[in-house]
Amino acid sequence: LFLIYLNFVFENGGMEVIHEKLKKDLRGFQEVSDFETRLVSSCRQYLTQRIDFKLASSTDTYLENLRKVYKPINQGYRVPKKKVKREMDSSKEDSHDKGSTILDGIPKPRQVLYDPEKIELGWSEIKGVGAGLANMGNTCFLNSVIQCLTYTPPLINFLYSGHHKISCTIQGFCAMCELHRHVTRTFNSKGNVVRPVPIVQNLKVVAKHFRLGRQEDAHEFLRYFVDALQKSCLHGHPVKMDPFSKHTT
């Protein structure tokens, strides 16, 4: 890093500055070239020294702990060459054919729960800036996540399409329906502050280990809340549905 910094200084005309600063300490050199010669000679004795690495005193279990938490996608899966050729020759084959796979080895879903062609990445209707959220006692982690979801166009377009609302049969707390009500109230209360009471009151439904009044991790809440949204969409479908179909909510 020191050499990179010196190179930057040389290219930006700072050599004279260094020359004047070090002139009193480095006796005997008269020209810039003298300084460069001494600098190279001084650096060489450090850059040419042998560096010996020692074994760590303790074992690093960080990666091993990650392997226990996360499961690699398609670990050890290899697509047979014949299957790849068959896929290339039958690219127009029905996506609901449970025996087919796409080229990267991920099986196609047996059932598509929501047509991807209906997904709109941009706003289907301009909403503007809605209401802010009140802190109900260490709920800033929840507020930040809900606000981010409120301004995620594809999700809000889906909510306002009524696709879930008209078919929801969940008794009790439904994350998707409650988010829909919250978003509607937010955009209808522009310039005001709303309290996400229903979501806060059902915090333990979203994640059992969360506690009211205790500061929690926003990213962790996001993961659990998105899972709750997906469970809302999967309600009424077979429990043993293949995971690739579940991903089409």
Side-chain angles (χ1 to χ4, degrees):
L1 290 176
F2 177 68
L3 293 178
I4 293 175
Y5 169 73
L6 286 181
N7 184 62
F8 172 80
V9 172
F10 294 159
E11 293 179 350
N12 290 272
M15 193 60 232
E16 291 76 13
V17 177
I18 296 179
H19 183 283
E20 293 299 326
K21 293 288 184 181
L22 299 180
K23 191 173 183 180
K24 296 180 180 180
D25 297 327
L26 297 178
R27 301 175 181 177
F29 80 90
Q30 302 296 329
E31 303 295 339
V32 172
S33 58
D34 295 335
F35 172 74
E36 293 177 347
T37 301
R38 293 194 178 191
L39 179 62
V40 172
S41 177
S42 178
C43 290
R44 183 179 292 114
Q45 63 178 327
Y46 296 103
L47 297 178
T48 57
Q49 287 182 357
R50 176 183 174 85
I51 299 178
D52 295 321
F53 294 92
K54 297 181 179 179
L55 294 177
S57 58
S58 60
T59 304
D60 186 3
T61 59
Y62 179 74
L63 291 179
E64 193 61 35
N65 290 334
L66 287 180
R67 293 190 180 97
K68 296 177 181 178
V69 178
Y70 300 101
K71 182 179 180 181
I73 298 177
N74 301 329
Q75 184 178 23
Y77 187 88
R78 294 293 182 272
V79 184
K81 293 183 178 180
K82 293 182 179 180
K83 182 175 291 187
V84 173
K85 186 178 185 303
R86 184 168 64 251
E87 282 296 320
M88 297 176 66
D89 295 338
S90 58
S91 58
K92 295 183 179 181
E93 188 176 352
D94 185 6
S95 63
H96 297 278
D97 179 8
K98 65 180 181 180
S100 60
T101 61
I102 57 180
L103 294 181
D104 61 1
I106 302 177
K108 291 182 179 179
R110 300 176 183 178
Q111 182 181 0
V112 177
L113 302 180
Y114 188 74
D115 186 358
E117 295 296 329
K118 296 181 180 180
I119 299 176
E120 297 182 61
L121 298 182
W123 292 100
S124 59
E125 179 183 347
I126 301 300
K127 300 296 182 183
V129 179
L133 301 185
N135 192 322
M136 300 175 60
N138 283 335
T139 59
C140 53
F141 72 94
L142 181 147
N143 289 356
S144 61
V145 170
I146 297 301
Q147 284 288 61
C148 287
L149 295 178
T150 300
Y151 296 94
T152 303
L155 175 60
I156 304 308
N157 294 337
F158 171 78
L159 292 176
Y160 277 96
S161 71
H163 182 273
H164 174 77
K165 184 178 180 180
I166 60 178
S167 60
C168 181
T169 59
I170 297 177
Q171 299 296 323
F173 176 74
C174 170
M176 190 68 75
C177 291
E178 196 52 59
L179 180 63
H180 189 180
R181 285 190 285 268
H182 171 81
V183 169
T184 301
R185 189 156 58 103
T186 297
F187 288 127
N188 289 338
S189 306
K190 296 180 180 180
N192 297 315
V193 177
V194 299
R195 294 161 60 87
V197 176
I199 298 178
V200 172
Q201 289 180 338
N202 287 279
L203 186 61
K204 289 181 67 66
V205 178
V206 177
K208 295 181 179 180
H209 61 286
F210 281 0
R211 297 290 182 271
L212 290 174
R214 186 177 71 182
Q215 183 61 268
E216 304 287 356
D217 183 73
H219 177 253
E220 185 178 11
F221 174 74
L222 172 63
R223 292 177 58 193
Y224 277 98
F225 194 76
V226 170
D227 285 344
L229 293 175
Q230 186 184 37
K231 290 177 181 177
S232 297
C233 294
L234 293 175
H235 182 78
H237 293 284
V239 178
K240 295 184 178 181
M241 177 183 291
D242 67 286
F244 304 101
S245 295
K246 293 181 179 180
H247 295 165
T248 65
T249 56

